[in-house]
């Protein structure tokens, strides 16, 4: 450990190209700040969580949240422009280490260029690609691009170490976030009775997700209102889609019954909800931690889905990490053509009508995510790993 009276100083550059990575980056910075005997000069690309810790991003990362082959092709020029901008900023600041968080395509390109132009800078990947589920060759590609991997899954290491990449399991900070809130206070604030059945809908955090999921979700909510007029409907809008989503919702007469709340009420809204419909992503894990029975729906561009389905690229039995951990579909998964009202409405209606089933699912979701949490303190373990690598 360094002497607090004579601290070691390091420059650290973090790259997070989407909201989930930004949350990891913010947690890592906070943990590093609390490490005695060290002073860090932070810089990087990120979002609001990293900004809260004093890191001002050179550009808005919202246009880099890209999933899918077709989507990637469409965004290629924009991504490359941002990669060059990021690399130029790294070369200008000359940090001791660059931590590249999630976002496979973007961070890989940054790593490869930095390695070529400034090989003395240490490169650490935080969150590896899911090679156990798809594209195992990415392990070798990553091993050639970075010096170390900090993994959030306990079963990652053998895949990457076999490819020659040293790997440290640090854990997943998602499972350490406090998702509990005051549901009773939320209901009181918004005129919801204590006995009302409350359904939460989450449209996603990427503009592309809002675009693809909006119509299916809107029509589903309209039909649910007709089938179950007693159910109260709420939604939380992620900051990355809030402006566009509010405009659409205000103009959609089908959703006049939908209560829209700000993201700062998220935990209270979770605690107030009896069931949910969500665009698949990190938020489904958070809902599971809060014990909210829910359905996860997702749509890719048709060509992207056709390629993935035809060539059986995805090997895992489920898309949700919670379902994979439970080896059971605790979270209902509705992909592509199944993510339509014709499938979503009956599944949601069954949840509304079966209070006992909701209670059982809630218990199982909490038990499963408790088991996935592990020892906790993931951000602190990541910080210790970074410090060890900087001192090596």
């Amino acid at each position: 450990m360094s002497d607090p009276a004579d601290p070691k100083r390091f420059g650290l550059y973090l790259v997070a190209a989407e909201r989930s990575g930004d949350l990891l980056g913010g947690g890592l910075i906070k943990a590093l700040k609390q490490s005695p005997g060290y002073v860090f000069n932070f810089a990087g690309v990120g979002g609001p969580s990293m900004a809260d810790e004093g890191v001002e991003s050179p550009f808005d990362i919202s246009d880099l949240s890209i999933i899918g082959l077709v989507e990637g092709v469409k965004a290629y020029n924009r991504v490359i422009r941002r990669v060059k901008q990021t690399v130029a900023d790294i070369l200008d600041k000359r940090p001791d280490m660059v931590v590249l968080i999630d976002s496979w395509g973007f961070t890989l390109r940054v790593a490869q260029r930095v390695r070529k132009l400034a090989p003395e800078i240490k490169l650490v990947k935080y969150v590896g690609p899911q090679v156990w589920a798809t594209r195992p060759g990415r392990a070798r590609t990553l091993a050639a691009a970075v010096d170390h991997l900090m993994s959030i899954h306990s079963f990652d290491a053998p895949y990457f170490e076999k490819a020659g990449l040293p790997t440290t399991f640090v854990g997943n900070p998602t499972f350490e976030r406090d998702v509990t809130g005051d549901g009773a206070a939320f209901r009181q604030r918004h005129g919801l009775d204590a006995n009302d059945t409350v359904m939460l809908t989450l449209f996603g955090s990427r503009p592309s997700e809002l675009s693809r999921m909006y119509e299916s979700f809107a029509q589903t909510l309209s039909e649910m209102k007709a089938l179950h007029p007693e159910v109260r409907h709420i939604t939380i809008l992620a900051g990355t889609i809030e402006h566009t989503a509010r405009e659409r919702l205000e103009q959609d007469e089908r959703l006049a019954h939908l209560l829209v709340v700000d993201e700062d009420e998220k935990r209270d809204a979770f605690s107030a909800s009896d069931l949910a419909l969500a665009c698949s992503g990190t938020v489904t894990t958070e809902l599971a931690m809060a014990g909210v029975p829910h359905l996860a729906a997702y749509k890719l561009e048709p060509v992207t889905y056709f390629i993935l389905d035809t060539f059986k690229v995805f090997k895992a039995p489920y898309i949700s990490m919670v379902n994979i951990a439970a080896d059971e579909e605790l979270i209902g998964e509705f992909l592509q053509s199944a993510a339509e009202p014709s499938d979503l409405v009956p599944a949601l209606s069954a949840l509304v009508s079966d209070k006992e089933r909701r209670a059982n699912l809630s218990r199982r979701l909490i038990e499963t995510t408790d088991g996935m949490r592990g020892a906790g303190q993931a951000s602190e373990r990541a910080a210790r790993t970074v410090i060890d690598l900087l001192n090596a």
Side-chain angles (χ1 to χ4, degrees), residues 97-178:
M97 176 186 289
V98 176
V99 178
L100 305 129
I101 309 172
D102 212 348
S103 304
W104 167 253
F106 184 81
T107 57
L108 177 67
R109 289 180 173 90
V110 171
Q112 289 172 332
R113 291 182 185 229
V114 172
R115 168 139 288 179
K116 180 179 180 181
L117 298 171
E120 73 280 4
I121 297 176
K122 292 182 178 180
L123 300 175
V124 175
K125 187 73 169 69
Y126 189 5
V127 185
Q130 295 178 349
V131 295
W132 41 268
T134 180
R135 303 181 191 179
R138 286 183 171 183
R140 293 188 299 274
T141 302
L142 186 61
V146 302
D147 301 299
H148 201 92
L149 169 65
M150 296 193 298
S151 163
I152 64 171
H153 301 304
S154 60
F155 47 79
D156 272 340
Y159 295 94
F160 293 97
E161 290 177 343
K162 184 179 179 181
L165 180 60
T167 300
T168 301
F169 168 59
V170 298
N172 190 344
T174 297
F175 295 108
E176 298 167 29
R177 293 173 195 155
D178 185 4

Side-chain angles (χ1 to χ4, degrees), residues 272-283:
S273 299
D274 296 292
L275 72 157
L277 169 64
C279 179
S280 183
T282 302
V283 74

